[in-house]
Amino acid sequence: MNRAPGTPARTCGNVPGGVRPPVRRRVPRPFPDRYTSVAHDRIFTLFLAVAVVVLLARALARRLRTPDAILLVVLGVAAGFVPALPAVVVPPDVVLLGFLPPLLYHAAFFSAPRETRADAVPIVALAFGLTTVTTVAVAATVHALLPAVAWPVALAFGAAVSPTDPVAATAVLQRLGAPPRMVTILEGESLINDGAALTIFGLAVEAIGADFTVAHGAGRVVQIVLGGVAYGLVLGIVIRRVRRWITDPVSQIIVSLVTPYLAFVPADRFGASGVLATVVAGFSIGTHGEGFLQPASRLVGATFWRILTFLLESALFVLLGLEIRQIVRQPGGETWAKVAVVAVAVSAVVIGVRLLWELGNGPLARTVPGGRRSQTGLGWRQRLVIGLGGMRGAITLAIALSLPDTVGDERGTLVVLAALVVLVTLLGQAPVLPVLLRRLGLAEPARRRAEAMLARKAGLQAALARLDELAEDEDVDEQTAEAFRQMLELRLERVRYLLDRKDADRDRPAPNSRRVRTELVRAQRAKLRTLYRKGRIGAETYREIVRELDFEDPTAIKG
C-alpha cells in the first residue's frame, strides 16, 4: 500500500528496526512432505517388487514348465523377507471387493455352457456338499486341537479354508492336454464354492457372541442364495439389452468392466450373495454373447479380459506371498510347535476329505436324478486328479483375515493356520499333478490340436459350400468366387495335411512351416517400413497393416 509523501512509516516497538515485516500466510498442506514422500516411496517400491516378481516368475515358468501361480507365491514369499521391501498388509475388502468380482465374472463369462450344464451334478456336489463337509471336518479338528476356539469361530475358520482356487490346477491340466471335462468341473466348482463358503462364514460370524437359531440360519441361507441368483439373472438380462445397442468396442469394454461390480456390491450390500450374483450374471451374459456382441467387440474384449485377469491373478498371488511374512510373525497365543502340528492336521483333513469325497461319491451320485448320466466317463483316474486339484489360494486368506477382532487371541493363530494351509496345498499338490497325469495316461497334448483341426476343416467345407450357392444364384461374379475358392481350398488342403500326419507329430507344426511363415511376415514388415520411410504410405496405413501382420505372425503370443 503506498504512503502519502511525508507520512512516517508504521513502526513496531518489539521488532528490530521498528518496521513490521510483511505477513506471510502459510498454505496448509494435506500431508507433511516427509509423510507424503514415505508413502509414495512405499507404493513405488511395492509396485516395482510386484512387477519384478511377475516378470521373473513368467520367465522361470516357461523354462521349468511350472504353473505361474506356484512361482508367484514362492518368489513373493522370498521377496517378503527382503529387508528393503515395506511390510504388506492387504485389507480383506481389497481382495473381496477389488479382485474377486472381475475374476469371478471373467471365469463365468468364458465358461463352457454346454459342458457346465452336462456336469451340473458333480459341480454342485463339490461346490455345496464338499464345501459343507470340509467346513465341519476342519472345524472339528481345530476345536479338538485348540479347545479355546469356540465352535462358531471354528466353523468360520473351516469355511475360510474350504473354497478352492483352480488357477494352478487348470493351468497344468490345459498345458498337458488333460480331458477338458476335468477342467470344466474344477472351474465350475470354484465359481460356486466361494459363495457357499462366504455364506457359511457369514452365518458363523453372526453366531459369535450372539443367540443363533436354526430357523434364523435357514432364513438367511434362503435370502443369500435365492437373492443372489435372482439379482444376477435380472442384471444379466438388463446388461444384455444395454450391450445389444452398443457398437463401439471401447464402450463395450467399459460396460463389461463395470458389470461385475454392479452385480457384486449391491447384492452384498442388501444381504444376498455377491459371488452368486456375479457368477449368474457373467454366465447369463456369456452364454448369449455371440448373439449381441459384434466380432470387433468380442476380439478386443477377449484380449482385454485375458490381460486384466492375468494381472489381477499375478498381483494377488504375489501380494499373498509378500503378506505371509507379516502373518507368520503373529502366531497368536500359541507356540510355533503347536501351530505347526495344527497346520499339518488341518492340511491333511482338507486334502483327505476331498480325496475321500471324490473317490467315494460316485455310487452315491448315481442315485440322484441325472446323476448316472453325469458320472459316465468319470473313472477313478479322473476322480483322483480332481481330488488332488483342490488347492487353496488368496480367497482363503482374505476370508480368514475377515475374522472379527471379537474372536480374541485365537484370531492371529487362525490367520497363520490359513496361510500355512494355502502354502501346503499349493506347493504340495500342484507339482504332483503333471506326474500323476502322465502316469495315469490322461495327458493328451495332441488331442486339442486335432479337435481344432477338425473344426477348421468343417468350417472351411461349409464356407466352400456357401460360396458355390452364392455363385449359382449369381450373387457374386465368377472371378471373385474363383479367388475366394482358391484361398479356401489352400487352407483346407493345409488342414487335411496336418490331420493326415501321425498322432505323435500332431502337436508339432509342419516341417519348416513356422520358419517360412515367420520369414514371409518379416519380409512384409521390412517392405512396409521402407514404404513409410519414403513417404509412400502414412502412419495410419502403416499401423493398420502391421496389426494385420501381427495376427499372421506365428511368433505372436497366444493367450
Side-chain angles (χ1 to χ4, degrees), residues 59-76:
L60 291 176
R62 291 178 178 272
R63 289 181 174 272
L64 302 177
R65 301 182 68 82
T66 303
D68 293 355
I70 298 177
L71 293 173
L72 288 169
V73 173
V74 171
L75 294 177

Side-chain angles (χ1 to χ4, degrees), residues 50-77 165-175 306-307 309-321 391-392 423 426-427 430-431 433-434 557-559:
V50 172
V52 170
V53 169
V54 171
L55 292 174
L56 185 58
R58 289 284 292 178
L60 291 176
R62 291 178 178 272
R63 289 181 174 272
L64 302 177
R65 301 182 68 82
T66 303
D68 293 355
I70 298 177
L71 293 173
L72 288 169
V73 173
V74 171
L75 294 177
V77 172
D165 189 328
V167 174
T170 55
V172 173
L173 296 179
Q174 291 173 343
R175 176 170 57 84
R306 185 165 58 246
I307 296 173
T309 53
F310 166 74
L311 293 176
L312 289 175
E313 289 173 351
S314 300
L316 199 54
F317 278 112
V318 175
L319 291 174
L320 169 63
M391 282 79 79
R392 271 55 180 175
L423 288 178
L426 188 61
L427 303 182
L433 283 179
I557 298 176
K558 304 298 181 185

Side-chain angles (χ1 to χ4, degrees), residues 10-28:
R10 298 177 63 184
T11 61
C12 183
N14 59 353
V15 177
V19 180
R20 185 185 299 275
V23 177
R24 294 182 179 179
R25 294 184 178 181
R26 180 172 296 177
V27 179

Side-chain angles (χ1 to χ4, degrees), residues 41-53 75-89 318-319 321-323 325-326 329:
D41 289 346
R42 287 169 60 89
I43 294 174
F44 172 75
T45 304
L46 181 60
F47 175 79
L48 188 62
V50 172
V52 170
V53 169
L75 294 177
V77 172
F81 289 92
V82 175
L85 289 180
V88 176
V89 178
V318 175
L319 291 174
L322 291 171
E323 190 173 9
R325 179 185 70 174
Q326 290 298 111
R329 288 180 176 178

